[in-house]
Amino acid sequence: HTRCLSDWSSDVCCSDLLSLRRSFAVREGVRLTAEAQSFNLLNHANFNQPDAFADQPLTFGKIFSAKAPRQIQFALRVAF
């Protein structure tokens, strides 16, 4: 579990990371590695900064976007 503070004016962001890896010997001199990685595993909402333009009262202080949602990737490697 990783927590970061991107700058002094923002809230804390959460990024739950998980990586699993397993290697198998296929035959002599050949290895197969399977890997799964997850970013933001618990899918916490990490919002971007609110709009800071005070001359636009309809959007001032509102949040219109967020950082990346849960991402999962898989890899399969053959080393010989």
Side-chain angles (χ1 to χ4, degrees):
H1 183 76
T2 303
R3 290 189 174 266
C4 61
L5 185 62
S6 59
D7 65 26
W8 294 104
S9 64
S10 70
D11 293 332
V12 175
C13 67
C14 297
S15 178
D16 303 308
L17 307 173
L18 177 68
S19 179
L20 301 172
R21 181 182 302 164
R22 176 79 173 148
S23 290
F24 305 93
V26 177
R27 58 182 174 182
E28 188 175 336
V30 180
R31 294 198 64 78
L32 180 67
T33 302
E35 184 174 0
Q37 295 178 336
S38 172
F39 307 96
N40 195 6
L41 180 64
L42 300 178
N43 208 20
H44 290 284
N46 294 312
F47 298 108
N48 289 326
Q49 295 292 320
D51 192 15
F53 297 108
D55 62 339
Q56 300 193 7
L58 294 177
T59 61
F60 178 70
K62 293 183 180 178
I63 298 173
F64 294 101
S65 60
K67 294 178 177 49
R70 176 187 304 130
Q71 296 177 346
I72 300 173
Q73 64 185 18
F74 301 97
L76 193 60
R77 292 187 200 121
V78 178
F80 50 93

